[in-house]
Amino acid sequence: MLVSRRRLTAAAALGLGFTRAAQAQADPLPSWRDGPRRRALLDFVAAVTTPGGPDFVPPTERIATFDNDGTLWVEQPAYTQLIFTRDRLRALAPANPGWAQDPVLRAALAGDLSGVLAAGSEGTLRLMGLTLAGLSPETARRLAAEWLATARDARWGRPYTALVYQPMLEVLALLRAHGFATFIVSGGGVEFVRAFSESAYGIPPHQVVGSSFALQPGEAEGRITLAMEPRADFVDDGPGKPVGIARFIGRRPIAAFGNSDGDWQMLRYTTEGPGRRLGMIIHHDDAAREYAYDRQSPVGRLARALDDAPARGWLVTSMRQDWARIFPGD
Amino acid sequence: MLVSRRRLTAAAALGLGFTRAAQAQADPLPSWRDGPRRRALLDFVAAVTTPGGPDFVPPTERIATFDNDGTLWVEQPAYTQLIFTRDRLRALAPANPGWAQDPVLRAALAGDLSGVLAAGSEGTLRLMGLTLAGLSPETARRLAAEWLATARDARWGRPYTALVYQPMLEVLALLRAHGFATFIVSGGGVEFVRAFSESAYGIPPHQVVGSSFALQPGEAEGRITLAMEPRADFVDDGPGKPVGIARFIGRRPIAAFGNSDGDWQMLRYTTEGPGRRLGMIIHHDDAAREYAYDRQSPVGRLARALDDAPARGWLVTSMRQDWARIFPGD
Ligand SMILES: [Ca+2]
Ligand SMILES: [Ca+2]
């Protein structure tokens, strides 16, 4: 299959030099160790792209969806967007003295992110809404991009966008090289994810589905304006993921990748469709190279989807066993 | 620029045989008569795609949005989706005897579509909601596709999907050949437009932004279900168009095409951005070959946007003067 300029740009954005791109032709998944998960990925791609084969899927129906936090990049010790929100709240706090009376806000300002997480996704969304209210989507994205350019993860001392999973970058590239359109379907705020999806993953803004805040159209100084309201108008998590897929993508995926119970419905919606399907869970079981967590974690809790995986035929990827490398810089 | 398989498929879907495709290389706009509009289109494409030029735009930012009704296909004597809705209402009426008491429903069932249009877009959306309630998006799209396969326009006796504008198919192909991503941004129901956008225009479902009805997730017979509610949750018209663009596309277009005051905000949002921009209005002034209407029409009313065009630099395409051919079959 020929490669469009748009795709070459994406490959360049992924930091694949021509040498590595040439190697990838020989082995499209160099960071995956040989084993059932690697073989299942390659078998699936071969099956749905072999013309005349029983599982052939036309290119326009080759839709793959990826959760972001914990599936494409690190989500511990707290979602990156929550760390960004904490920093934004701290910048805005002096102008909002009343915030000190609010226990969730107080926890965030003190850096007690587990205290924030205890308030559930509603609590988190409320804090995000406070930092975004009145901004245009373009400004929200710029602020996120500026923060991502300078913030560093405490454990590795690297930019958060360097903590993407190299094996998943290879899956994205493999699928796109075989005519797939790749989408992010994230519980995170859509503008935050769009701030780095193209440079980090080669996924353009219109292929990012996420949670969103209501947009109010208006006019200022003779120009049309859009202002974010503090009220979330769509939560792209759990049962919201199939809704977001139907609304934004308009086609049921034939492959889906997730890491938590928030992906249970997306994995089901994907693999309950007719024909050959692929559902994959990334299992964080490598405390030495990344983190080890599942059933007890307030971030990326994985229990029901893990229990369901064998009966539903979902592949459970062990980061410890299946991945030879975790990050691009390793 | 190389061409991906996905794009070749789209070209085939547009009915461009290889002979016509070869001609198009020589003249990308064979159905446009020479004149200021044709030259402005070609100049714009050259300007934003010339590397090193002052107006160069990187491929990932080459976003073009198209209204559908009256911009890409015929919308007279009534929006095609409204004719489809009338036929669905008639099929469902025997099971809903109470509908006879509702004046707007009674008008629709009697085929009095101007009576329906008099109830405004709220009235139209309410009727659409009644025909869609409880359906999955997939079923809604299948019903629309089945109807489009057999219904015929009264004036030409052709399928509605044959009443697309050949000059606009050429603009879509020209832009895509130059690295643009092309999107529909329509006031019509998103599932109705998705039913034919890929085969008629080469625009996949995820590049269609439209009005939508709320989706209720559920479960039946061990499978995840999505059911449409009769309540519109997004109206992608007028001030809604910039909102839909920001939400679904996530980038301000650099080119936008419309035909009515419902596109005024989209045209403004597009051309108020920095750098080289293109805004175009399709003016229906050809009663002999299509229809002639603007300020007084209940369908596709065009007044404010037409008045604004000169000051804002929007091109007003005259179907009569600028188009050598209207439909692909001509
Ligand atoms: Ca996750
Ligand atoms: Ca229109």
Side-chain angles (χ1 to χ4, degrees), chain B residues 67-71 75 79 241 258-260 263 300:
Chain B
D67 169 61
N68 182 47
D69 294 306
T71 297
E75 64 181 348
Y79 303 115
K241 289 203 174 190
N259 78 303
S260 82
D263 302 310

PDB file of all heavy atoms in Angstrom, chain B residues 67-71 75 79 241 258-260 263 300, ligand 2:
ATOM      1  N   ASP B  67     -21.168  22.577   3.896  1.00  0.00           N
ATOM      2  CA  ASP B  67     -22.584  22.351   4.127  1.00  0.00           C
ATOM      3  C   ASP B  67     -23.072  21.299   3.118  1.00  0.00           C
ATOM      4  O   ASP B  67     -22.448  21.114   2.070  1.00  0.00           O
ATOM      5  CB  ASP B  67     -23.319  23.684   3.937  1.00  0.00           C
ATOM      6  CG  ASP B  67     -24.819  23.490   3.893  1.00  0.00           C
ATOM      7  OD1 ASP B  67     -25.375  22.998   4.884  1.00  0.00           O
ATOM      8  OD2 ASP B  67     -25.421  23.816   2.842  1.00  0.00           O
ATOM      9  N   ASN B  68     -24.168  20.614   3.427  1.00  0.00           N
ATOM     10  CA  ASN B  68     -24.642  19.579   2.497  1.00  0.00           C
ATOM     11  C   ASN B  68     -25.831  20.041   1.648  1.00  0.00           C
ATOM     12  O   ASN B  68     -25.708  20.220   0.444  1.00  0.00           O
ATOM     13  CB  ASN B  68     -24.996  18.308   3.267  1.00  0.00           C
ATOM     14  CG  ASN B  68     -25.440  17.192   2.338  1.00  0.00           C
ATOM     15  OD1 ASN B  68     -24.790  16.939   1.324  1.00  0.00           O
ATOM     16  ND2 ASN B  68     -26.553  16.544   2.657  1.00  0.00           N
ATOM     17  N   ASP B  69     -26.995  20.273   2.262  1.00  0.00           N
ATOM     18  CA  ASP B  69     -28.210  20.609   1.504  1.00  0.00           C
ATOM     19  C   ASP B  69     -28.021  21.928   0.770  1.00  0.00           C
ATOM     20  O   ASP B  69     -27.800  22.976   1.386  1.00  0.00           O
ATOM     21  CB  ASP B  69     -29.413  20.723   2.452  1.00  0.00           C
ATOM     22  CG  ASP B  69     -29.772  19.388   3.076  1.00  0.00           C
ATOM     23  OD1 ASP B  69     -29.971  18.412   2.345  1.00  0.00           O
ATOM     24  OD2 ASP B  69     -29.858  19.329   4.329  1.00  0.00           O
ATOM     25  N   GLY B  70     -28.117  21.895  -0.549  1.00  0.00           N
ATOM     26  CA  GLY B  70     -27.982  23.106  -1.342  1.00  0.00           C
ATOM     27  C   GLY B  70     -26.550  23.497  -1.650  1.00  0.00           C
ATOM     28  O   GLY B  70     -26.318  24.410  -2.435  1.00  0.00           O
ATOM     29  N   THR B  71     -25.596  22.834  -0.995  1.00  0.00           N
ATOM     30  CA  THR B  71     -24.184  23.095  -1.286  1.00  0.00           C
ATOM     31  C   THR B  71     -23.565  21.914  -2.033  1.00  0.00           C
ATOM     32  O   THR B  71     -22.793  22.092  -2.964  1.00  0.00           O
ATOM     33  CB  THR B  71     -23.400  23.374   0.012  1.00  0.00           C
ATOM     34  OG1 THR B  71     -23.926  24.566   0.613  1.00  0.00           O
ATOM     35  CG2 THR B  71     -21.920  23.561  -0.253  1.00  0.00           C
ATOM     36  N   GLU B  75     -31.682  20.756  -2.626  1.00  0.00           N
ATOM     37  CA  GLU B  75     -32.489  20.842  -1.406  1.00  0.00           C
ATOM     38  C   GLU B  75     -33.919  21.292  -1.692  1.00  0.00           C
ATOM     39  O   GLU B  75     -34.717  21.469  -0.764  1.00  0.00           O
ATOM     40  CB  GLU B  75     -31.855  21.803  -0.410  1.00  0.00           C
ATOM     41  CG  GLU B  75     -31.806  23.252  -0.895  1.00  0.00           C
ATOM     42  CD  GLU B  75     -31.150  24.199   0.104  1.00  0.00           C
ATOM     43  OE1 GLU B  75     -30.919  23.815   1.259  1.00  0.00           O
ATOM     44  OE2 GLU B  75     -30.861  25.351  -0.292  1.00  0.00           O
ATOM     45  N   TYR B  79     -36.023  19.761   1.763  1.00  0.00           N
ATOM     46  CA  TYR B  79     -34.859  18.964   2.150  1.00  0.00           C
ATOM     47  C   TYR B  79     -35.156  17.479   1.950  1.00  0.00           C
ATOM     48  O   TYR B  79     -36.214  16.983   2.358  1.00  0.00           O
ATOM     49  CB  TYR B  79     -34.514  19.202   3.619  1.00  0.00           C
ATOM     50  CG  TYR B  79     -34.246  20.642   3.964  1.00  0.00           C
ATOM     51  CD1 TYR B  79     -35.092  21.332   4.828  1.00  0.00           C
ATOM     52  CD2 TYR B  79     -33.155  21.314   3.434  1.00  0.00           C
ATOM     53  CE1 TYR B  79     -34.855  22.655   5.156  1.00  0.00           C
ATOM     54  CE2 TYR B  79     -32.917  22.648   3.757  1.00  0.00           C
ATOM     55  CZ  TYR B  79     -33.764  23.313   4.608  1.00  0.00           C
ATOM     56  OH  TYR B  79     -33.534  24.622   4.926  1.00  0.00           O
ATOM     57  N   LYS B 241     -22.886  25.599  14.066  1.00  0.00           N
ATOM     58  CA  LYS B 241     -21.844  25.060  13.165  1.00  0.00           C
ATOM     59  C   LYS B 241     -20.427  25.277  13.698  1.00  0.00           C
ATOM     60  O   LYS B 241     -19.639  24.334  13.718  1.00  0.00           O
ATOM     61  CB  LYS B 241     -22.031  25.584  11.737  1.00  0.00           C
ATOM     62  CG  LYS B 241     -23.265  24.952  11.062  1.00  0.00           C
ATOM     63  CD  LYS B 241     -23.222  24.973   9.538  1.00  0.00           C
ATOM     64  CE  LYS B 241     -24.420  24.201   8.974  1.00  0.00           C
ATOM     65  NZ  LYS B 241     -24.333  23.976   7.514  1.00  0.00           N
ATOM     66  N   GLY B 258     -20.845  27.065   1.714  1.00  0.00           N
ATOM     67  CA  GLY B 258     -22.232  26.999   2.161  1.00  0.00           C
ATOM     68  C   GLY B 258     -23.142  27.625   1.134  1.00  0.00           C
ATOM     69  O   GLY B 258     -22.703  28.067   0.063  1.00  0.00           O
ATOM     70  N   ASN B 259     -24.433  27.668   1.455  1.00  0.00           N
ATOM     71  CA  ASN B 259     -25.366  28.276   0.495  1.00  0.00           C
ATOM     72  C   ASN B 259     -26.478  29.079   1.152  1.00  0.00           C
ATOM     73  O   ASN B 259     -27.349  29.571   0.444  1.00  0.00           O
ATOM     74  CB  ASN B 259     -26.004  27.208  -0.392  1.00  0.00           C
ATOM     75  CG  ASN B 259     -27.125  26.463   0.332  1.00  0.00           C
ATOM     76  OD1 ASN B 259     -26.871  25.893   1.387  1.00  0.00           O
ATOM     77  ND2 ASN B 259     -28.341  26.493  -0.193  1.00  0.00           N
ATOM     78  N   SER B 260     -26.477  29.169   2.488  1.00  0.00           N
ATOM     79  CA  SER B 260     -27.610  29.842   3.121  1.00  0.00           C
ATOM     80  C   SER B 260     -27.153  30.575   4.370  1.00  0.00           C
ATOM     81  O   SER B 260     -25.995  30.462   4.798  1.00  0.00           O
ATOM     82  CB  SER B 260     -28.703  28.832   3.491  1.00  0.00           C
ATOM     83  OG  SER B 260     -28.396  28.200   4.723  1.00  0.00           O
ATOM     84  N   ASP B 263     -25.233  29.044   7.175  1.00  0.00           N
ATOM     85  CA  ASP B 263     -23.780  28.884   7.076  1.00  0.00           C
ATOM     86  C   ASP B 263     -23.025  30.161   7.437  1.00  0.00           C
ATOM     87  O   ASP B 263     -21.787  30.180   7.374  1.00  0.00           O
ATOM     88  CB  ASP B 263     -23.400  28.469   5.639  1.00  0.00           C
ATOM     89  CG  ASP B 263     -24.082  27.183   5.223  1.00  0.00           C
ATOM     90  OD1 ASP B 263     -24.001  26.213   5.991  1.00  0.00           O
ATOM     91  OD2 ASP B 263     -24.710  27.154   4.145  1.00  0.00           O
ATOM     92  N   GLY B 300     -33.320  26.962   2.553  1.00  0.00           N
ATOM     93  CA  GLY B 300     -32.063  27.548   2.087  1.00  0.00           C
ATOM     94  C   GLY B 300     -32.119  29.058   1.932  1.00  0.00           C
ATOM     95  O   GLY B 300     -31.514  29.614   1.018  1.00  0.00           O
TER      96      GLY B 300
HETATM   97 CA    CA C   2     -27.588  24.473   3.019  1.00  0.00          CA
END
